[in-house]
Amino acid sequence: MDKEHALEEMMGKLGDFGKYQAFQFFLHILAAMTAGLHMLSLVTVAAVPEHRCFLSGIDSSNYTEAWNSSLVLEAIPLNEHGRLDSCKVYGENKTLEECTSWVYDTQYFTSSRGIEWDFVCSRRWMGAAAQTAYMFGVVVGSIVLGRLCDKIGRKTVFVWAGILQLIFAASVAFSTDYYMFVTIRFLYGIFGSGSYIAGFVLTMELVGPSRRTLCGVTFQIMFAIGIMLIAAWGYLIDNRFYLQIVYASHAIILLPHWFLMDESPRWLWTQGRARECVAIIKKALKMNNSSETIDASSLVSQCKAKNAKYANEEAAGTLDLFKSPNMLKKTLIICGCWFANSVVYYGLSLNTGKLNGNPYFIFFLMGVVEMPSYVIIMLYLDRVGHRALISAMMLFGGIACVAVVALPHGSMAATVVVMIGKLFISGSYSIIYKYSAELFPTVIRSSGVGLGSMCASVSGALTPLISLLDALNPKIPTFVFAVLALLSGFSAFFLPETIGRALPQSIEDGEKFGVGDNCFTNCSGRRMSVDSVDVPETMVPLDGEKKQ
């Protein structure tokens, strides 16, 4: 028996999901909750409530004139929506002048970085740059920490990322200078999703094939719960310093993992650390109350200290994704889907403050509306197929964005449709990681998924900047989101279905995989050919991430 088959036989003895996997999985998904919380915390910590110009002689440091008073209405012009202009004031002879200071509506927010540093009007870029800095940190983290997961171990990266996200998240609260604030948020972003990366990979390498879809979707659910916690804590704590400290403190729950969580047996095996791998498997079998036994000495002797990948894998890399026509087509389409899903998901999430109503309740609903989409995924993904479901959800998400553009700005109807759009785009985002991993051959699977997740991170960093286009017209950002979702949803029609087909292993398999299989020739998602080699799936270490 060769080394690869020895590993698969040993892991097969565990079963797909026993008590041991359940306990380890619980530890892993806690990182998804903290990642969701850290990712969008700026929505409350740096919130910009409704504002208007400070009127000298009318307002003072201790008093703000009522917004509907005649004095205010005479001093400030109305915008195209019939509201007080937030950036201009009447000067001498009714000439329009730019504000130099502002007062804020304190109904929902009395303390935030947006109020403290005036992230408004000509300074709006400052708020967008702070979120972009975090997302670029996620880009760096997805590259660096993903590689470190393969080099020094998943558990090591998981715990150290948890420690550093705690340190940098707390440091953000103590920042007294804007540029220091942005710099720390960049570092915060590197590690904010680091435990998520390691935790997701640990789960995918531990549970059996029949439970990977369920476990992957559960990661998404925990991410959404993190979003809901942002709103809940924001509602309870109306002080940006203490609120940020509370957000940071959630990382503490990741620290006991050093003692409770095990390293990936698959990673240990590929590193030649067979004794540690076998010890974990024996512990897991005991916890699962399994009667299976393993011959530890025989397994250790079979494991040589070199990477257990396919012989040609060392020579294969990211560039191989672009060298052949079919592989190039699949790579470009799937990267476009990653990009569009991320930009629409974060675009809708970050713009909740522009919707009418209680911002905490609206943001909480942004997390709640993701749940039905995950139920749909769990029930229908393996029945309908990846291609059909991801295409439909992206198209429906794009149509919802088009409807928002057509509806009156800030109306209740627009808020409802935004929620519907978030539901669909959350569903497609939850599919794309697993779908990507199945499209690419084993020898470059990590490279393919890593490239896609990098596209998602870059688009997430660009999203706050796209949102600044609302200065030209409030509907432009949503229109951009709609176009990206519709184009990517349509392009997914040209991808092959993966359900019921053996995964491609070599570069040659990858080029042949799905040739002639698209929604126009086989929209049912059923297997249409036997051109792929029927070999059992070999689970190899993945070094990408999901939501970043």
Side-chain angles (χ1 to χ4, degrees):
M1 182 185 299
D2 64 30
K3 181 184 174 184
E4 198 70 71
H5 285 104
L7 171 63
E8 292 306 317
E9 182 176 306
M10 182 171 60
M11 294 299 295
K13 291 179 183 291
L14 283 180
D16 280 7
F17 200 81
K19 291 180 181 178
Y20 174 78
Q21 290 99 318
F23 176 67
Q24 294 294 315
F25 174 59
F26 171 74
L27 297 177
H28 301 161
I29 61 172
L30 293 177
M33 185 264 294
T34 62
L37 187 148
H38 294 313
M39 187 79 68
L40 297 172
S41 60
L42 209 64
V43 170
T44 52
V45 172
V48 179
E50 192 172 351
H51 50 280
R52 64 166 175 82
C53 295
F54 176 86
L55 301 175
S56 181
I58 298 176
D59 300 314
S60 68
S61 58
N62 298 319
Y63 174 77
T64 299
E65 182 69 19
W67 290 36
N68 60 353
S69 75
S70 57
L71 292 174
V72 172
L73 294 174
E74 289 174 3
I76 300 176
L78 301 180
N79 60 24
E80 65 272 22
H81 302 296
R83 298 180 179 179
L84 294 175
D85 193 294
S86 58
C87 300
K88 295 180 180 178
V89 64
Y90 286 125
E92 294 183 7
N93 301 320
K94 288 291 183 177
T95 57
L96 290 178
E97 298 177 357
E98 297 290 332
C99 301
T100 55
S101 59
W102 295 264
V103 294
Y104 296 88
D105 183 348
T106 57
Q107 180 180 2
Y108 299 113
F109 300 97
T110 62
S111 171
S112 78
R113 291 293 192 179
I115 296 173
E116 181 180 339
W117 286 330
D118 292 323
F119 292 165
V120 297
C121 302
S122 61
R123 297 165 62 90
R124 283 186 63 208
W125 66 269
M126 297 173 72
Q131 181 64 20
T132 295
Y134 184 95
M135 296 305 292
F136 272 122
V138 173
V139 174
V140 174
S142 67
I143 298 170
V144 175
L145 298 183
R147 296 297 179 267
L148 284 177
C149 276
D150 279 343
K151 193 170 183 66
I152 65 174
R154 287 84 163 98
K155 177 181 176 179
T156 303
V157 170
F158 187 106
V159 177
W160 276 105
I163 293 171
L164 291 170
Q165 72 178 241
L166 172 62
I167 293 171
F168 288 118
S171 299
V172 167
F174 290 93
S175 302
T176 56
D177 173 76
Y178 172 75
Y179 293 102
M180 179 195 301
F181 175 74
V182 171
T183 301
I184 295 176
R185 276 192 60 81
F186 171 75
L187 298 172
Y188 180 17
I190 293 176
F191 301 102
S193 294
S195 297
Y196 188 159
I197 299 171
F200 191 88
V201 173
L202 277 162
T203 291
M204 291 299 106
E205 293 181 347
L206 185 62
V207 304
S210 68
R211 296 301 179 95
R212 285 177 193 150
T213 296
L214 175 62
C215 290
V217 172
T218 305
F219 264 84
Q220 298 290 83
I221 292 173
M222 290 299 290
F223 190 93
I225 289 174
I227 292 176
M228 289 185 270
L229 283 174
I230 294 174
W233 285 119
Y235 177 78
L236 294 172
I237 303 173
D238 189 20
N239 180 289
R240 63 92 182 157
F241 176 84
Y242 294 115
L243 183 59
Q244 181 62 51
I245 294 296
V246 168
Y247 289 159
S249 66
H250 285 72
I252 293 174
I253 64 175
L254 305 180
L255 306 189
H257 287 52
W258 185 258
F259 307 100
L260 300 174
M261 193 172 77
D262 292 327
E263 182 56 87
S264 166
R266 293 182 183 275
W267 181 81
L268 290 170
W269 185 267
T270 63
Q271 300 300 305
R273 295 162 61 177
R275 292 188 184 278
E276 295 170 71
C277 172
V278 171
I280 290 174
I281 297 298
K282 291 176 71 174
K283 168 186 171 183
L285 288 171
K286 183 178 179 181
M287 190 169 178
N288 285 350
N289 298 319
S290 173
S291 59
E292 295 279 359
T293 59
I294 55 177
D295 187 346
S297 59
S298 174
L299 287 167
V300 170
S301 67
Q302 291 181 52
C303 186
K304 299 177 183 179
K306 78 173 191 178
N307 202 321
K309 296 184 180 180
Y310 290 89
N312 65 340
E313 187 169 2
E314 292 182 0
T318 303
L319 291 179
D320 289 282
L321 296 167
F322 303 93
K323 287 183 178 179
S324 53
N326 189 35
M327 194 80 76
L328 173 64
K329 180 191 75 172
K330 290 185 290 187
T331 299
L332 293 178
I333 291 174
I334 205 68
C335 284
C337 290
W338 276 96
F339 187 96
N341 272 281
S342 178
V343 78
V344 178
Y345 181 91
Y346 291 114
L348 295 178
S349 299
L350 291 171
N351 285 304
T352 54
K354 299 173 184 176
L355 301 176
N356 282 341
N358 186 316
Y360 300 112
F361 180 67
I362 290 174
F363 197 68
F364 185 82
L365 283 182
M366 278 288 186
V368 171
V369 297
E370 295 188 24
M371 300 305 174
S373 68
Y374 301 144
V375 173
I376 293 171
I377 298 304
M378 288 188 283
L379 291 177
Y380 294 104
L381 182 61
D382 293 332
R383 299 178 185 179
V384 176
H386 295 73
R387 177 181 61 205
L389 212 50
I390 196 171
S391 298
M393 287 194 155
M394 290 183 72
L395 290 172
F396 283 130
I399 291 170
C401 290
V402 171
V404 172
V405 172
L407 291 170
H409 179 69
S411 65
M412 180 58 68
T415 300
V416 172
V417 176
V418 165
M419 295 296 174
I420 295 173
K422 180 72 182 302
L423 183 152
F424 284 116
I425 210 67
S426 299
S428 62
Y429 209 166
S430 69
I431 302 170
I432 195 167
Y433 186 93
K434 186 172 183 287
Y435 190 29
S436 300
E438 292 174 344
L439 281 175
F440 297 114
T442 298
V443 295
I444 49 174
R445 186 166 294 142
S446 293
S447 297
V449 175
L451 180 64
S453 63
M454 188 188 306
C455 291
S457 297
V458 171
S459 68
L462 295 177
T463 301
L465 305 182
I466 294 173
S467 298
L468 292 179
L469 295 175
D470 67 355
L472 303 176
N473 187 305
K475 297 184 176 182
I476 288 179
T478 309
F479 180 75
V480 173
F481 302 152
V483 170
L484 290 172
L486 291 172
L487 287 177
S488 296
F490 179 74
S491 71
F493 285 160
F494 296 92
L495 291 172
E497 183 51 68
T498 57
I499 287 181
R501 301 188 63 184
L503 301 188
Q505 306 283 10
S506 65
I507 297 291
E508 183 180 359
D509 288 341
E511 175 59 18
K512 292 178 180 178
F513 186 79
V515 172
D517 181 6
N518 57 61
C519 195
F520 303 102
T521 60
N522 182 39
C523 205
S524 67
R526 297 180 182 275
R527 182 173 177 174
M528 65 172 288
S529 67
V530 291
D531 57 358
S532 59
V533 180
D534 284 325
V535 291
E537 175 186 355
T538 299
M539 189 69 189
V540 297
L542 297 177
D543 56 0
E545 70 174 302
K546 207 171 180 194
K547 269 181 191 163
Q548 311 170 26

